[in-house]
Amino acid sequence: MSTVPNIDLNDGARIPQLGFGVYQIDPDETAAAVKTALDIGYRHIDTAEMYGNEAGVGQGIRDAGLARGDVFITSKLNNGFHEPDAARKAFDETLSKLGFDAPEDDYVDLFLIHWPLPTKYGGDFVSTWKALEGFKADGRARSIGVSNFQVPHLERLAAETDTVPAVNQIEVHPYFVNEAVRAYGAQHGIVTEAWSPIAQGQVLDDQVVEGIAKATGKSPAQVVLRWHIQRGDVIFPKSVTPQRIQDNFDIFDFELSPDDVDALTELDKGADGRTGPNPDTFDMIPD
Ligand SMILES: NC(=O)c1ccc[n+]([C@@H]2O[C@H](COP(=O)([O-])OP(=O)(O)OC[C@H]3O[C@@H](n4cnc5c(N)ncnc54)[C@H](OP(=O)(O)O)[C@@H]3O)[C@@H](O)[C@H]2O)c1
C-alpha cells in the first residue's frame, strides 16, 4: 500500500498530502465513493457545504468501519453565510450533517472560507474569518484556512486579524500554476492546496504529459498528480470510478526528474488556463 506523507500546518496539526475530493459527487453516491476511497487507503476527505454531500462523507467513514479520528475531514463555509451569525449556524449544520454525535468526535479537522467574495458583504471577509477563529478556539475546527484567496486578501487578513490561515485552497494544475499566490503562501507559512489538480481531465491529453507518462510507465493523471506532490502542494483528486480512485492513490512508487517537473510547470497558460472562476470577481451565492 502507498504511504501518503503528512504535511505540517502552521498550528501544529498535520494533513495527509493526498486526499479524496467530493465536488460534483451526487449526495446519494457520496457514501459509496468515500468508502471506496477509504478502503483503498485514503485518509483525507475534502467536502464543502456547497457540495451538498457532507452527510454522505460522514456515512462513508462509518460504512468503512473507521473511527472519526482516523480520517482528516475538511469542509467549507458556503457563500451565503459570510455574516458571523450565519457562519456560526452553518458551521453547526456542517457538524450535524457529518453525523458524529459523540462530543469527542464532533469536529472538523479543517474549515475554510470557500470564496473571498470581495464584491459581496461590503468586501468584509474579515469578520467571517473572526467567526472561524471562534470555531478554532472552541476546538470544533482543529485548523482553519481559506480558499480562493488572492494575495491582497491574504495581506488584509495578516493586517487585521491574529490568525494566519493554515491553508489556502486554490486552483493549481499545469495549465494554471498560480505561482504568485503559491509563493505568498510559502513565504508566510500557509500550505497551498491545489484544487482541480488534473484540471478536471483537461491536461490529460497534453502531448508533454503523455510523453512523460509513456517514459515513466505511469498514466497521465498519475504523472500530473505526482508533479503536485513533488512541488509540495496538498491534493485531493475527485473520481467516482473505482479504478481511477486506486490509480490516483498509486503515485508514491515513482519520481519525476527535475526536468519533467519543469516541463509540466512550463505548460502554464496564465489566466487563460483557469478552469474555474476568478476569485476577484466570483460572486455566486447559491439559492
Ligand atoms: N475550493 C474550491 O473552490 C474548489 C473548486 C473545485 C474543486 N475543489 C476540490 O478539489 C477537488 C478536485 O477537483 P475537481 O473535482 O474539480 O477536479 P479534478 O480532481 O481535477 O478532476 C476530476 C475529473 O477528472 C476525472 N478523473 C479523475 N481521476 C482520473 C484519472 N485517473 N484518469 C482520468 N480521469 C480522471 C473524474 O472523472 P470520474 O469522476 O468520472 O472518474 C472527473 O471528471 C474537488 O472534488 C474539491 O474537493 C475545490
Side-chain angles (χ1 to χ4, degrees):
M1 182 183 278
S2 297
T3 305
V4 177
N6 286 307
I7 302 248
D8 291 326
L9 301 178
N10 62 20
D11 58 6
R14 308 184 84 200
I15 185 168
Q17 193 180 5
L18 174 68
F20 182 66
V22 298
Y23 175 46
Q24 292 177 325
I25 301 186
D26 188 295
D28 292 336
E29 293 167 17
T30 301
V34 166
K35 180 178 183 303
T36 300
L38 295 171
D39 288 348
I40 286 167
Y42 291 80
R43 290 292 180 271
H44 165 186
I45 309 292
D46 186 85
T47 184
E49 293 169 358
M50 198 186 288
Y51 305 166
N53 56 17
E54 292 166 306
V57 170
Q59 191 58 49
I61 294 169
R62 289 184 290 278
D63 290 350
L66 293 172
R68 169 67 191 85
D70 292 335
V71 183
F72 190 104
I73 303 177
T74 299
S75 193
K76 317 183 192 86
L77 183 71
N78 209 344
N79 290 351
F81 307 133
H82 275 214
E83 287 166 0
D85 281 346
R88 284 187 275 272
K89 189 160 167 276
F91 183 66
D92 289 348
E93 281 177 22
T94 280
L95 294 182
S96 157
K97 285 183 177 146
L98 288 169
F100 292 99
D101 297 330
E104 67 274 18
D105 292 342
D106 199 18
Y107 66 93
V108 288
D109 293 277
L110 178 61
F111 196 68
L112 312 181
I113 300 179
H114 204 150
W115 290 89
L117 304 177
T119 65
K120 293 280 178 187
Y121 301 104
D124 174 23
F125 45 75
V126 173
S127 61
T128 315
W129 181 244
K130 290 181 177 171
L132 266 66
E133 289 182 322
F135 308 152
K136 182 167 165 58
D138 71 24
R140 294 184 305 151
R142 298 268 166 96
S143 299
I144 54 174
V146 294
S147 178
N148 299 302
F149 272 47
Q150 306 276 54
V151 169
H153 308 143
L154 297 167
E155 287 173 339
R156 185 161 169 213
L157 288 188
E160 297 181 34
T161 75
D162 296 329
T163 310
V164 178
V167 308
N168 187 18
Q169 183 177 130
I170 54 174
E171 181 173 357
V172 182
H173 46 71
Y175 285 166
F176 184 59
V177 301
N178 215 345
E179 198 45 49
V181 185
R182 283 182 82 245
Y184 182 95
Q187 283 156 15
H188 294 86
I190 303 169
V191 167
T192 293
E193 297 189 327
W195 62 251
S196 293
I198 56 172
Q200 300 197 334
Q202 288 175 35
V203 294
L204 300 183
D205 51 13
D206 187 282
Q207 281 187 359
V208 171
V209 176
E210 282 183 343
I212 297 172
K214 208 166 272 177
T216 54
K218 288 287 181 175
S219 74
Q222 288 172 321
V223 164
V224 175
L225 295 173
R226 181 71 207 176
W227 171 81
H228 287 282
I229 294 292
Q230 290 184 212
R231 282 156 46 93
D233 291 352
V234 173
I235 49 170
F236 21 78
K238 169 268 177 187
S239 179
V240 291
T241 313
Q243 186 59 52
R244 290 175 173 175
I245 300 174
Q246 178 73 60
D247 290 349
N248 295 347
F249 195 70
D250 293 335
I251 56 172
F252 298 100
D253 58 355
F254 76 113
E255 195 145 344
L256 300 174
S257 69
D259 283 351
D260 287 345
V261 171
D262 289 347
L264 293 167
T265 307
E266 282 162 17
L267 296 177
D268 183 36
K269 300 178 180 184
D272 288 346
R274 283 189 190 275
T275 63
N278 185 325
D280 288 323
T281 51
F282 186 62
D283 61 359
M284 193 267 291
I285 299 204
D287 296 335

